[in-house]
Amino acid sequence: MAERRSGNGSSRNGTGEQIVSPKDRFLTVYGRKPVLEALADPTLDVDKVILADTVRGASAAEIQRAADASGVPVQRASAHRVKVLAGNGKQDQGVLADVVAPRMRPLSTALSAGRPPTRVLVLDGITTPANVGMILRTATAAGVGGIVVPRRGVAALDPLVVKASAGVAFRAPVLRCGSAAEAVGMLADAGYGVYALGASTSGSLFDTDLPNRAAFVLGGETAGVSEEVRSQVTGWLSIPMPGEVESLNVSAAAAVLCFELVRRGGKSSH
């Protein structure tokens, strides 16, 4: 059946139904140890393992046995194809696994749902995997309904992010779109108030009245909130810091934000 591309990176089939990209359904882990750990974890649903044709001998046999024990199909592909799919040619070791992320979906799908999330984080230019992983863990723990992780401009959802999240990344409510600017535009159009965290703004996170639906932009480690996103922000929030410190690490700021939302009460996921 013929497919056609839509503007948000997904496809639609001949009947007009949206086909979700594999990148919006799976987290890909690569490398022998991460793949074996995923296969051994009974809480994870591994869709498939892809093994490079160049991987032979004991390593290939070990992966095949683990996959067989878990009922996971193993596909063979060229080493180049594995590198492309993994996105990390230096560390893939010729093997990757696609792990189902049950709460990951396109942002457009979440916004069109009957009960879209009321509180959403938007990651904008955060390139350190450890920060992305810790934000996913913290936001999931706090019950935040959605964490927008754009495909461009943010660290890829790879084993480094999964490790930093202590495995929570697999079940985090990740929302995908092309860029942070695209996400903010979609959220504003859907009626969300869009707030950015900044160190020198006048509005305190602890005192500002928030609308029923709000999105919070977390800027990158060096440049902060990007210019494309700044032009679309409706309000700025700061974390009061009476001590002699200029700013917080972005993952620490995210933790303060997330648990301020918890303190205010109500479930942010509905």
Side-chain angles (χ1 to χ4, degrees):
M1 183 176 292
E3 298 179 4
R4 61 180 184 273
R5 305 298 296 179
S6 66
N8 61 8
S10 61
S11 302
R12 292 187 182 276
N13 61 20
T15 64
E17 296 175 334
Q18 185 173 355
I19 302 171
V20 178
S21 165
K23 292 184 178 180
D24 294 340
R25 296 176 53 220
F26 304 126
L27 288 184
T28 299
V29 297
Y30 53 77
R32 189 180 65 84
K33 184 177 179 181
V35 168
L36 288 171
E37 288 175 348
L39 289 170
D41 189 336
T43 69
L44 298 181
D45 180 6
V46 180
D47 182 74
K48 61 183 173 293
V49 170
I50 300 179
L51 199 58
D53 290 334
T54 52
V55 178
R56 300 289 179 182
S59 293
E62 182 181 20
I63 292 166
Q64 186 69 60
R65 284 195 300 271
D68 290 345
S70 301
V72 176
V74 176
Q75 300 176 5
R76 283 283 186 170
S78 68
H80 175 72
R81 179 62 176 162
V82 171
K83 291 184 188 301
V84 169
L85 292 173
N88 191 320
K90 294 182 178 179
Q91 297 180 0
D92 63 67
Q93 297 178 309
V95 61
L96 61 83
D98 283 336
V99 182
V100 176
R103 299 180 69 193
M104 185 163 70
R105 53 184 172 162
L107 174 60
S108 58
T109 300
L111 295 180
S112 62
R115 300 178 69 190
T118 59
R119 301 286 186 254
V120 176
L121 304 187
V122 180
L123 309 193
D124 177 19
I126 301 175
T127 57
T128 304
N131 284 334
V132 174
M134 286 186 283
I135 290 170
L136 292 179
R137 181 174 178 83
T138 300
T140 303
V144 173
I147 308 139
V148 178
V149 184
R151 300 184 195 94
R152 300 188 299 276
V154 174
L157 294 173
D158 65 10
L160 296 176
V161 169
V162 172
K163 182 178 180 180
S165 76
V168 172
F170 290 121
R171 60 179 187 273
V174 173
L175 305 177
R176 304 309 303 270
C177 67
S179 68
E182 176 188 329
V184 168
M186 293 171 64
L187 288 159
D189 289 343
Y192 285 74
V194 179
Y195 298 87
L197 262 63
S200 59
T201 56
S202 57
S204 169
L205 167 64
F206 303 138
D207 300 330
T208 302
D209 290 332
L210 298 174
N212 290 332
R213 293 184 183 179
F216 304 90
V217 180
L218 299 167
E221 295 88 350
T222 303
V225 178
S226 64
E227 290 298 328
E228 297 86 351
V229 170
R230 281 176 176 269
S231 63
Q232 302 183 72
V233 168
T234 55
W236 287 80
L237 301 173
S238 65
I239 297 171
M241 290 185 288
E244 296 180 2
V245 175
E246 186 174 320
S247 63
L248 296 176
N249 171 277
V250 65
S251 64
V256 174
L257 165 63
C258 289
F259 286 99
E260 168 60 13
L261 297 178
V262 172
R263 186 194 67 81
R264 289 179 182 234
K267 293 185 177 181
S268 58
S269 59
H270 300 304

